Amino acid sequence: MTFALSTNWNNRRLAAGEAIADEAQALGFDALELGFRTTPEQVRGFKARLDAMPVSSVHAFCPVPLSAPRGYPELYLLADFDEAARALARVHVRKNIAFAAEMGADAVVLHAGRVPCSTLFRRNRLKKRTRLGHRLVDVFRGELDLLTPELEKNGVRLGLENLPYLEGFPNEDEIRELAGEWVRPWLDTGHAYVRQTNGWVSAEHAFCPCVPPLGLHLNDSRGGDDHLPPGEGQIDFAALASVAHAARHLVLEPHADVAPEALKRGLDYLKNLWRTA
């Protein structure tokens, strides 16, 4: 098994792409996921280190678009009922597909969108989420049809990440209708734990996607989505061995304030846990 590190962990502390890559390599990582806080200036450094530290995946939107004040994974929402919003997101997702191929990566991680379901009463909110989610699946499927030729041409797959709020799209049922050869689930373990503890989904469905995930964002949690190093929270990573072995990409995505030694312990914990599983 190979493990990548999300550059969101250290790319605000280290300015140069070379330094970010070197630190990841020194901690024992095999590759990088370029996070949504990546700057154009850092990209040059990552390219200079590709032989030693390859890029396995790119988290949209990366690098930070020149028009954006900061990096954020939901700058543009491809799953949106507004056609103009989808058209703008489509432009940027296409750029990220081409960028991933340029960097030698074969995966783009995407926060697809949110289902608007605000109401005064909780039970009505759940009903509204289900009803509008079905409608958004049909809308979003059309966007995927437009993007599939770009994915095929570049040899890049799109990973749709599970999100830690009720509105997050697609949910565990909706991804079943959208997954295919070029579009797959991307399981964030911390997000799955939040979804489970809020009662939006069972533990079985939260951590076991309907089809093998394209990749995993590996982070632990103690009741919230706090991106702890694996082994420091309440997630049962031993139970995820089969899911991890089925995924193409394993990416540790700790919070930026996690200390290097704690991150190293988390990486070693997973390597030892899953080595013989």
Side-chain angles (χ1 to χ4, degrees):
M1 304 177 82
T2 60
F3 292 84
L5 174 65
S6 168
T7 63
N8 277 354
W9 173 65
N10 58 353
N11 67 2
R12 286 183 291 184
R13 174 167 49 83
L14 300 173
E18 294 94 335
I20 295 167
D22 291 346
E23 184 174 42
Q25 185 178 26
L27 289 170
F29 288 94
D30 308 291
L32 296 175
E33 174 176 283
L34 300 189
F36 52 80
R37 296 190 182 98
T38 300
T39 67
E41 292 75 20
Q42 289 169 342
V43 170
R44 291 192 289 271
F46 294 135
K47 287 182 176 179
R49 289 292 192 268
L50 283 177
D51 288 342
M53 185 55 59
V55 173
S56 59
S57 55
V58 169
H59 196 314
F61 296 92
C62 173
V64 178
L66 295 177
S67 58
R70 62 185 177 91
Y72 185 60
E74 295 172 29
L75 287 171
Y76 314 101
L77 298 179
L78 191 64
D80 195 297
F81 287 114
D82 183 81
E83 185 175 354
R86 295 199 310 273
L88 181 59
R90 195 184 314 131
V91 168
H92 286 279
V93 172
R94 282 175 168 157
K95 288 181 178 179
N96 265 212
I97 293 169
F99 175 66
E102 177 187 344
M103 298 301 293
D106 65 2
V108 169
V109 185
L110 182 70
H111 289 200
R114 303 193 186 201
V115 178
C117 59
S118 297
T119 64
L120 291 175
F121 302 104
R122 177 179 171 81
R123 64 177 182 177
N124 291 341
R125 186 178 178 221
L126 292 170
K127 290 179 180 179
K128 186 176 181 181
R129 170 65 183 80
T130 300
R131 175 172 53 84
L132 292 182
H134 286 313
R135 287 179 51 195
L136 194 55
V137 165
D138 293 333
V139 172
F140 190 63
R141 189 181 288 117
E143 293 299 323
L144 296 180
D145 289 343
L146 294 173
L147 288 173
T148 296
E150 299 290 326
L151 295 166
E152 292 178 334
K153 180 179 71 175
N154 287 281
V156 172
R157 284 175 168 76
L158 190 64
L160 302 180
E161 186 172 346
N162 59 323
L163 301 178
Y165 27 81
L166 179 63
E167 297 89 346
F169 178 89
N171 66 17
E172 293 75 14
D173 292 325
E174 292 153 357
I175 188 62
R176 188 189 307 272
E177 300 184 54
L178 297 167
E181 182 179 0
W182 294 97
V183 179
R184 301 267 293 282
W186 189 283
L187 177 66
D188 183 296
T189 56
H191 294 177
Y193 190 79
V194 170
R195 295 184 61 78
Q196 172 199 335
T197 55
N198 277 282
W200 302 328
V201 63
S202 68
E204 177 185 1
H205 289 101
F207 287 96
C208 297
C210 55
V211 297
L214 177 59
L216 274 66
H217 278 157
L218 299 163
N219 58 92
D220 215 334
S221 177
R222 284 195 295 261
D225 180 31
D226 42 9
H227 288 260
L228 297 171
E232 292 193 6
Q234 298 168 317
I235 294 175
D236 183 1
F237 285 97
L240 294 177
S242 60
V243 177
H245 280 280
R248 181 169 178 80
H249 298 283
L250 301 175
V251 182
L252 270 72
E253 193 187 43
H255 194 275
D257 62 5
V258 170
E261 56 271 19
L263 177 55
K264 174 70 167 132
R265 285 196 302 271
L267 174 61
D268 292 342
Y269 167 75
L270 291 181
K271 286 181 175 180
N272 293 329
L273 187 67
W274 290 339
R275 180 178 290 124
T276 59

